[in-house]
């Protein structure tokens, strides 16, 4: 071999990271390229000792297979995607954690994105995730750009809408209309007739829209009405609950009960009630939705609707994994909810309420 050839050989850098190929792994492990491919693609027919040898060698070399390329070569992706409206919401975090546990145990990797309640941003994230070769996708709500559905259909990627019941597409969720109705009827049973609602923006959240519709349904069935100025739509943070309650309590006829679309909004309402010198629940009842961890420890403890975000994540994972394996999966899964009665609600001042016990009512 010439001196020039020797110099070229010496100067060749050792491949690192994504520069390492499956062929490099095969050579270092002393196995065929086909064996490496079978191991990295999860083929169960490879002997355990050989599988461990290949994986250990790949780890030492820093080999990371390109997900999209692997999906193209094997016609099977080992990634599941999920897009949530925000990463600030504890309930979404709990649901995503449950989803990840399930898909990871099945050998898949979770790819997560946030749309920030922006449909155009969600569409961009759908395009990006699909380019990675995902085997399935979890979405939140049923309102999405038509192009989202078109892309998923064209690429034959299974998806599931969550936190909502969708009569047209696969879903795992709650009956949001029923949630609003149950919460409103509970307060009506306590003798309340003057209501206020603090909700998330219905243009951003079909879950909020469904709950408001349920509240209106319950009020109408009892001959009560909700003036437009008593419905305030804001974002989902504590400060939004504070500002909304301040606005509600400045109206000529103050509400004696305020229904909040989330616990965070309810916490804000409770903080503002204290600032205004209002006694809760003697002068004002406040209820939320979600039953976050803080709800039971707030002062007063918050009456709320318990929504199992963990079950949402688990059931969504089960559906997507079934579809990824060519199985049909349950098209519609309705997750139950519970009314949790605590200290923040009481009979309306001077009212003769129907008997209501503190505790749980499962629906």
């Amino acid at each position: 071999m010439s001196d020039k050839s020797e110099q070229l050989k010496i100067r060749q850098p050792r491949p690192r990271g994504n520069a390492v190929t499956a062929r490099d792994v095969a050579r270092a492990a002393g196995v065929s390229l086909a064996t490496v491919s079978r191991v990295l693609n999860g083929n169960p027919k490879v002997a355990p000792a050989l599988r461990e040898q290949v994986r250990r060698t790949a780890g030492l070399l820093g080999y990371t297979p390109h997900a999209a390329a692997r999906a193209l070569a094997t016609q099977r992706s080992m990634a599941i995607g999920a897009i949530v409206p925000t990463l600030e919401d504890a309930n979404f975090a709990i649901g995503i954690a449950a989803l990840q546990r399930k898909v990871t145990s099945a050998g898949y990797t979770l790819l997560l994105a946030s749309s920030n309640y922006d449909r155009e941003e969600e569409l961009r994230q759908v395009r990006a995730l699909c380019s990675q070769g995902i085997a399935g996708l979890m979405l939140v709500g049923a309102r999405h750009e038509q192009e989202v559905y078109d892309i998923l259909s064209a690429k034959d990627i299974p998806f599931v809408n969550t936190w909502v019941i969708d009569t047209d597409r696969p879903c795992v969720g709650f009956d949001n209309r029923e949630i609003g109705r149950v919460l409103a009827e509970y307060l009506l049973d306590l003798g309340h007739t003057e209501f206020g609602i603090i909700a998330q923006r219905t243009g951003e959240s079909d879950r909020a829209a469904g709950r408001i519709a349920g509240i209106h349904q319950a009020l109408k069935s009892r001959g009560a009405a909700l003036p437009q100025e008593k419905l305030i739509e804001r974002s989902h943070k504590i400060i939004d609950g504070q500002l909304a309650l301040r606005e509600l309590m400045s109206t000529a006829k103050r509400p004696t009960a305020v229904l909040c679309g989330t616990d965070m909004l309810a916490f804000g309402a409770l903080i503002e009630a204290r600032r205004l010198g209002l006694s809760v629940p003697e002068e004002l009842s406040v209820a939320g939705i979600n039953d976050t961890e803080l709800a039971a420890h707030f002062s007063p403890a918050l009456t709320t609707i318990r929504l199992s975000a963990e079950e949402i994540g688990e059931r969504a994972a089960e559906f997507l994994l079934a579809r990824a394996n060519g199985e049909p999966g349950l098209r519609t899964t309705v997750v139950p909810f519970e009314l949790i009665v605590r200290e923040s609600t009481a009979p309306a001042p001077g009212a003769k309420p129907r008997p209501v016990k503190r505790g749980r009512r499962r629906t």
Side-chain angles (χ1 to χ4, degrees), residues 29 37 110 143 211 231 255 266 284 293 358:
S37 178
L110 179 67
R143 291 181 189 164
R211 294 165 191 175
L231 169 58
L284 178 69
E293 185 177 6
R358 188 171 290 173

Side-chain angles (χ1 to χ4, degrees), residues 135-336:
L137 179 64
M138 187 194 89
L139 298 167
V140 174
R143 291 181 189 164
H144 308 288
E145 293 294 323
Q146 182 57 45
E147 193 175 344
V148 167
Y149 294 124
D150 293 343
I151 291 171
L152 295 172
S153 176
K155 293 182 175 292
D156 196 25
I157 296 175
F159 70 91
V160 60
N161 287 332
T162 57
W163 267 272
V164 69
I165 303 302
D166 186 348
T167 56
D168 299 321
R169 300 176 181 91
C171 63
V172 175
F174 308 104
D175 186 337
N176 289 292
R177 190 183 187 100
E178 186 68 3
I179 287 171
R181 188 192 66 78
V182 166
L183 192 56
E185 287 197 346
Y186 159 69
L187 290 166
L188 285 162
D189 287 345
L190 289 175
H192 292 279
T193 58
E194 297 296 329
F195 291 89
I197 301 177
I198 304 174
Q200 287 179 278
R201 298 187 180 99
T202 53
E204 297 177 350
S205 170
D206 52 2
R207 287 83 62 207
R211 294 165 191 175
I212 291 173
I215 293 170
H216 279 298
Q217 178 186 344
L219 296 182
K220 186 177 180 180
S221 70
R222 301 282 187 94
L226 185 78
Q228 188 59 39
E229 66 269 18
K230 297 293 180 67
L231 169 58
I232 300 177
E233 297 185 13
R234 299 189 68 92
S235 186
H236 59 280
K237 298 185 178 181
I238 287 178
I239 185 62
D240 294 298
Q242 291 180 256
L243 295 172
L245 186 78
R246 190 179 308 169
E247 186 176 339
L248 282 173
M249 301 315 287
S250 67
T251 56
K253 203 165 188 179
R254 289 181 164 189
T256 61
V258 174
L259 300 92
C260 300
T262 69
D263 285 355
M264 296 299 282
L265 291 172
F267 295 151
L270 289 172
I271 291 169
E272 186 63 19
R274 186 179 301 135
R275 193 191 72 81
L276 294 172
L278 294 169
S279 178
V280 177
E282 291 78 12
E283 295 178 90
L284 178 69
S285 287
V286 177
I289 295 174
N290 279 332
D291 196 29
T292 53
E293 185 177 6
L294 186 57
H297 306 285
F298 215 78
S299 182
L302 181 66
T303 291
T304 186
I305 296 285
R306 176 173 294 168
L307 305 181
S308 178
E310 185 172 10
E311 188 168 351
I312 292 285
E314 290 175 351
R315 299 292 169 264
E318 288 168 2
F319 174 82
L320 293 174
L321 291 172
R323 296 290 289 111
N325 289 316
E327 300 166 9
L330 190 60
R331 183 178 173 85
T332 299
T333 300
V334 180
V335 178

